[in-house]
Each structure stands twice: as structure tokens, then as C-alpha cells.
Amino acid sequence: DQQVKQNSPSLSVQEGRISILNCDYTNSMFDYFLWYKKYPAEGPTFLISISSIKDKNEDGRFTVFLNKSAKHLSLHIVPSQPGDSAVYFCAARRNTGKLIFGQGTTLQVKP
Amino acid sequence: KAGVTQTPRYLIKTRGQQVTLSCSPISGHRSVSWYQQTPGQGLQFLFEYFSETQRNKGNFPGRFSGRQFSNSRSEMNVSTLELGDSALYLCASSLDVGTNEQFFGPGTRLTVL
């Protein structure tokens, strides 16, 4: 039972344009959502998070949007840079429960 | 401040063997979680330890076990290895249970032949 889903395995974007990575979830009890970035041969690194009481959180070029009614969150990267090329995972948790991750989306930013 | 370290980085085993992986969390972090990453499956949660006690557990068979020591270092063990256990095993540490930001180590790449 995949409670967190990233339906796009890959995304290719031109440098300077916007990258939009999507994530859907099924459990309405999730109260915290996170995005992680992973480069090859490294562990995931925390990028940005959002609480379920908010619908937007911004940190520099990264913005996460949460649509609770649609059980959908997205990560916007503006402008995209070649160094952003990595695998992006969304994750969700309820209270102090375990973090549940999506399958990941590979982002390629072309110069 | 040193990051999360995992040893060994690479491991090759054969079916039926057992394996022990080690994780040293960031100094001061008391919670350690383990994940299995396989292509197409993302990161699957194995278990979380805090103060030497397992606090959360994922949906893995009993062949997967773990423990945490008084210095917060953690080990996970997989017995009777199967081909499907080939994966990247990631350890993450955080200050406390339920702390949202987890810091990951580089992982141990396990190959079962």
C-alpha cells in the first residue's frame, strides 16, 4: 500500500526554467511533509518541509505547496540550475510516526 | 560536526548468509532510523530506535532486526539473506523521535549473490 506516490519517475527541464515535482498521498492523517534531494553515492539531504496547517512554504529558490483537499503537494524550483539535477523524494509522517517516502523523481536540468 | 557514518560502504554476500551493518549518528542525536532503498520502491522504512528502544517498525520480515547502543550507535542485522535483499541501506539520525528533519548517511550498498 503506497501511501505516498510520486507518479513521474523523471523530469527534464531547461536551465533557468521552473521545475515542478509532484507528490500525492492517501492518508489524510499525515501532518508533516518533507522533500529530500539525493545525489548518486550520497544519502538524501533535507530540502524543505511544510506543516499541514500551512499551504505554502518558501526557502530561496524552493517552494512547497500543499493542497490538503486534493492530498497533493508539489515542489517548485525557480530558477532551475544544473546542480539541481538529482533524485527528489517527498515524504510524510503522522505525529511522531515513521517517515513514509515516495518512489522518487529524477530531475535533469539541462544547461 | 561530523555527519552520519555508515560501515561498511559496500558489501557482497551470498544467499543464506547473514550481515550486520553499522551506523554512527551525529553527535548528540539520539534517534536512529533505517531505510531500504531499491529501484522503483523509494525508501522503505525499516525501524527507528531511540534510547536503545525500538519506537517504530516497518513492514519487513523478522529476518531484519536492529538494535541501538547506549552511545546511540545502531546496528541492523539481516539473517538468511535473499537475492531480493540487495539494496542500499540508509541510516538517518535526528535529535529526537518525531523530529522532522533527519540527516542521512551515505548508505551501505548490499549485493546478495
Side-chain angles (χ1 to χ4, degrees):
Chain A
D1 178 26
Q2 192 74 32
Q3 296 187 62
V4 178
K5 294 181 182 180
Q6 293 176 256
N7 292 316
S8 297
S10 62
L11 175 68
S12 183
V13 170
Q14 207 65 34
E15 180 179 7
R17 307 295 287 269
I18 184 172
S19 294
I20 300 176
L21 297 107
N22 294 303
C23 180
D24 297 298
Y25 61 95
T26 58
N27 191 339
S28 58
M29 300 301 289
F30 286 142
D31 55 12
Y32 211 85
F33 304 87
L34 306 89
W35 284 94
Y36 281 81
K37 178 170 72 173
K38 185 180 185 300
Y39 293 117
E42 295 181 11
T45 55
F46 171 76
L47 202 53
I48 192 169
S49 63
I50 188 167
S51 164
S52 61
I53 62 173
K54 295 186 175 182
D55 54 20
K56 177 183 174 181
N57 188 26
E58 191 172 354
D59 184 2
R61 297 185 297 114
F62 302 90
T63 303
V64 56
F65 295 92
L66 176 63
N67 183 333
K68 288 188 291 293
S69 61
K71 295 191 182 70
H72 177 84
L73 68 155
S74 61
L75 174 67
H76 292 210
I77 306 173
V78 184
S80 301
Q81 300 173 353
D84 295 330
S85 298
V87 179
Y88 289 79
F89 292 97
C90 67
R93 80 186 308 159
R94 172 191 175 189
N95 294 331
T96 60
K98 59 188 180 184
L99 262 183
I100 298 177
F101 283 82
Q103 308 95 310
T105 296
T106 300
L107 172 65
Q108 183 184 28
V109 180
K110 296 180 179 179
Chain B
K1 187 185 257 190
V4 178
T5 58
Q6 292 186 245
T7 55
R9 291 292 310 277
Y10 302 91
L11 206 49
I12 299 176
K13 293 284 188 178
T14 56
R15 281 181 298 174
Q17 286 187 310
Q18 75 162 21
V19 67
T20 299
L21 311 181
S22 180
C23 171
S24 293
I26 292 172
S27 177
H29 284 194
R30 299 189 296 167
S31 175
V32 174
S33 298
W34 288 90
Y35 297 86
Q36 180 195 65
Q37 185 189 3
T38 53
Q41 291 296 316
L43 279 72
Q44 302 287 313
F45 175 81
L46 281 154
F47 23 66
E48 180 178 22
Y49 286 89
F50 177 81
S51 291
E52 303 177 64
T53 303
Q54 189 180 90
R55 295 304 180 103
N56 285 300
K57 189 177 188 304
N59 299 322
F60 278 82
R63 300 185 296 107
F64 292 80
S65 62
R67 59 177 176 169
Q68 186 181 35
F69 302 94
S70 58
N71 61 358
S72 294
R73 191 176 70 84
S74 177
E75 289 181 348
M76 68 162 280
N77 184 277
V78 188
S79 62
T80 319
L81 283 167
E82 300 176 359
L83 295 178
D85 297 333
S86 295
L88 179 68
Y89 290 88
L90 292 158
C91 164
S93 78
S94 56
L95 281 170
D96 205 338
V97 172
T99 303
N100 289 304
E101 186 173 347
Q102 294 186 345
F103 297 83
F104 283 82
T108 294
R109 172 71 63 185
L110 171 65
T111 301
V112 182
L113 302 175

